[in-house]
């Protein structure tokens, strides 16, 4: 595949769009750039959140939204918009991902993700590689039971959209179901077809995916769009990642859409040569960094937000530690007795720093938001507990819960409890 040639005119335009070219950023400047790119430097909306605000202030900034099945607090894909906008109607996001005109589709971006439909042609290279890149169980079904894969696809074409349960009659009888991910062969066939792009998600109902063929789900203009070469498609995904990250290393950029390492390194070098990425040194960073064209350094970030565990701001753990000095690990799959901070832990963003973390749970029976643990970061400002209490109240209201209860431990828990009572 050919690479993008160097273009001095394009480089000059990119430099002009971004103002003075930067060769070095301080650690604080890089942190503000990262927050600004992710939509955390905006002033409050000042009005009710509508579809336009959701698109411009969230989707256009983050590029894609990760999906996850854990529902101890709220479904993961609804949390990024709350973090950036506050209370909003989740039906606005469902409308973009469930109904025409379809703005988002579900596919493997950064894990399972909601992705703008315009990027579908730029992910077809991944679909073509399903036979080699899909998980082992999917590949084995495609290899060992192509008849089942074909039958599943035919049934969906005839009767879709369908759930996996509605296709169970195609599977052979099997023994008792085992632990998580003990998929039937039908489910593996479905997931292979999903990875290869031959079926997609029409919608989810109570989080269960309804599969259908793309021609009944995606806009006709997207399906008719030409398929770019793999190298150009990957460059487009990296440009999207660069815009959403603001400042990033090559592994940061690669991780956003989970691109192959060797190909990502080639594509990043091509983007630098074309003037689509600007190399820059960042104070305290040992790896080379890159700025997206047109990025400006916010003078100030005055954010206050609870950040979901699957938010794009904190996807790559080494980046979180490098940018914020914040060591973060998801402990959902860690045995309870080995957890340090809790099961479903949300970092707390105050100003331009991650200053604490809270383990949260929606107790829907008691109509209460439970703070199961609250921990402050070293050097957290004195107003952390009060600011966190305000944000917890907002979250509870959005979740239609009546109260916030501090039910657990952590060095910040007593102060949060006092602030909530005050």
């Amino acid at each position: 595949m050919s690479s993008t040639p160097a273009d001095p005119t394009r480089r000059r335009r990119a430099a002009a769009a971004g103002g003075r070219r930067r060769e070095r950023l301080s650690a604080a400047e890089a942190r503000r750039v990262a927050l600004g790119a992710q939509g955390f430097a905006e002033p409050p909306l000042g009005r009710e959140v509508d579809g336009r605000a959701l698109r411009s202030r969230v989707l256009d900034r983050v590029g894609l939204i990760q999906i996850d099945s854990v529902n101890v607090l709220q479904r993961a894909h609804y949390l990024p918009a709350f973090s950036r906008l506050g209370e909003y109607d989740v039906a606005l996001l469902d409308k973009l991902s469930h109904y025409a005109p379809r703005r988002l589709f579900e596919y493997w971006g950064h894990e399972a993700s909601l992705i703008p439909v315009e990027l579908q042609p730029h992910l077809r290279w991944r679909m073509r590689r399903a036979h080699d890149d899909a998980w082992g169980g999917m590949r084995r079904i495609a290899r060992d039971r192509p008849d089942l894969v074909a039958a599943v696809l035919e049934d969906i074409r005839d009767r879709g959209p369908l759930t996996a349960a509605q296709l169970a009659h195609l599977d052979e009888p099997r023994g008792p179901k085992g632990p998580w991910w003990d998929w039937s062969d039908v489910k593996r066939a479905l997931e292979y077809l999903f990875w290869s792009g031959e079926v997609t998600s029409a919608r989810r109902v109570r989080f269960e995916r309804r599969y259908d063929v793309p021609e009944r789900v995606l806009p006709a203009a997207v399906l008719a769009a030409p398929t770019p070469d793999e190298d150009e498609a990957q460059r487009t995904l990296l440009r999207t990642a660069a815009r959403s990250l603001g400042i990033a290393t090559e592994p940061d950029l690669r991780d956003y859409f989970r691109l192959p390492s060797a190909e990502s390194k080639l594509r990043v070098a091509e983007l630098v040569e074309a003037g689509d990425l600007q190399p820059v040194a960042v104070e305290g960073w040992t790896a080379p960094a890159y700025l997206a064209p047109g990025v400006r350094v916010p003078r100030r970030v005055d954010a206050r937000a609870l950040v979901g565990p699957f938010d794009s701001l904190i996807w790559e753990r080494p980046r979180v530690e490098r940018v914020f000095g914040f060591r973060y690990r998801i402990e959902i799959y860690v045995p309870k007795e080995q957890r340090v901070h809790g099961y479903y832990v949300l970092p707390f963003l105050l100003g331009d720093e991650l200053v604490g973390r809270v383990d949260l749970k929606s107790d829907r029976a008691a109509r209460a938001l439970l703070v199961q643990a609250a921990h402050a970061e070293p050097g957290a400002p004195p107003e952390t507990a009060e600011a966190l209490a305000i944000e917890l109240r907002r979250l509870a209201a959005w979740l239609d819960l009546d109260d916030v209860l501090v039910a657990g431990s952590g060095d910040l828990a007593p102060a949060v409890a006092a602030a909530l009572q005050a």
Side-chain angles (χ1 to χ4, degrees), residues 38 40 62 66 76 79-81 83-84 306-317:
Q38 282 280 303
F40 286 103
V62 302
Q66 186 175 345
L79 287 171
S83 298
R84 290 156 179 81
L306 287 162
V307 181
F310 301 98
D311 193 293
S312 51
L313 181 70
I314 56 173
W315 272 344
E316 195 187 15
R317 309 313 180 208

Side-chain angles (χ1 to χ4, degrees), residues 133-266:
D133 292 352
W135 298 338
M138 303 180 204
R139 297 199 310 271
R140 285 192 295 273
I141 286 297
R143 181 192 66 218
D144 299 341
R145 298 195 63 187
D147 54 331
L148 175 63
V149 175
V152 168
L153 179 57
E154 182 180 3
D155 223 18
I156 291 174
R157 286 193 185 281
D158 290 344
R159 302 191 297 120
L162 299 172
T163 66
Q166 289 171 316
L167 291 156
H169 65 282
L170 297 173
D171 204 0
E172 296 175 354
R174 58 200 309 262
K177 189 173 181 181
W180 286 4
W181 309 115
D182 182 23
W183 286 353
S184 68
D185 282 359
V186 161
K187 177 62 174 174
R188 292 188 181 95
L190 274 169
E191 291 303 317
Y192 175 81
L193 290 166
F194 181 81
W195 193 302
S196 67
E198 294 180 81
V199 303
T200 188
S201 176
R203 60 186 180 277
R204 284 181 183 259
V205 179
R206 292 183 294 277
F207 204 70
E208 187 176 21
R209 192 186 282 156
R210 265 62 173 166
Y211 298 88
D212 208 344
V213 289
E215 52 266 33
R216 290 201 290 259
V217 175
L218 300 179
V222 170
L223 294 171
T227 301
D229 291 342
E230 288 188 9
D231 54 357
E232 179 53 35
Q234 292 172 353
R235 282 192 292 270
T236 295
L237 297 177
L238 286 165
R239 290 187 196 101
T240 301
R243 184 181 69 245
S244 296
L245 291 170
I247 178 77
T249 65
E250 182 276 322
D252 298 341
L253 295 168
R254 176 205 319 166
D255 179 73
Y256 215 74
F257 282 92
R258 297 292 170 89
L259 300 182
S261 173
E263 290 164 277
S264 173
K265 291 174 181 176
L266 288 173

Side-chain angles (χ1 to χ4, degrees), residues 223-381:
L223 294 171
T227 301
D229 291 342
E230 288 188 9
D231 54 357
E232 179 53 35
Q234 292 172 353
R235 282 192 292 270
T236 295
L237 297 177
L238 286 165
R239 290 187 196 101
T240 301
R243 184 181 69 245
S244 296
L245 291 170
I247 178 77
T249 65
E250 182 276 322
D252 298 341
L253 295 168
R254 176 205 319 166
D255 179 73
Y256 215 74
F257 282 92
R258 297 292 170 89
L259 300 182
S261 173
E263 290 164 277
S264 173
K265 291 174 181 176
L266 288 173
R267 303 290 89 83
V268 166
E270 293 161 2
L271 290 170
V272 170
E273 178 67 15
D276 287 341
L277 288 176
Q278 178 195 341
V280 63
V282 178
E283 176 192 3
W285 293 25
T286 57
Y290 304 94
L291 275 174
V295 164
R296 296 184 182 276
V297 181
R299 292 182 180 179
R300 177 183 175 88
V301 175
D302 191 20
R304 189 185 67 209
L306 287 162
V307 181
F310 301 98
D311 193 293
S312 51
L313 181 70
I314 56 173
W315 272 344
E316 195 187 15
R317 309 313 180 208
R319 173 182 170 83
V320 178
E321 198 161 353
R322 187 186 335 121
V323 174
F324 296 102
F326 186 90
R327 183 174 173 80
Y328 182 62
R329 299 292 183 270
I330 292 179
E331 298 182 274
I332 291 171
Y333 304 109
V334 174
K336 183 176 181 179
E337 63 277 7
Q338 297 177 24
R339 292 177 196 143
V340 177
H341 295 108
Y343 179 81
Y344 202 79
V345 175
L346 284 72
F348 180 50
L349 173 66
L350 185 62
D352 63 359
E353 298 273 9
L354 294 173
V355 300
R357 60 190 93 200
V358 281
D359 180 17
L360 299 180
K361 178 180 179 179
S362 292
D363 187 339
R364 296 172 179 91
R367 297 189 58 80
L369 176 63
L370 302 184
V371 181
Q372 305 198 108
H375 295 86
E377 288 297 291

Side-chain angles (χ1 to χ4, degrees), residues 93-121:
L93 184 59
D94 291 340
K95 183 178 180 181
L96 298 177
S97 58
H98 288 184
Y99 305 107
R102 182 69 64 108
R103 302 295 184 94
L104 301 170
F105 80 109
E106 189 176 331
Y107 188 60
W108 293 105
H110 183 96
E111 302 296 335
S113 305
L114 292 174
I115 305 170
V117 292
E118 294 79 10
L119 289 180
Q120 194 268 356

Side-chain angles (χ1 to χ4, degrees), residues 68-76 344 362 364:
D68 189 81
S69 61
V70 176
N71 193 28
V72 68
L73 179 68
Q74 170 63 294
R75 295 292 186 191
Y344 202 79
S362 292
R364 296 172 179 91

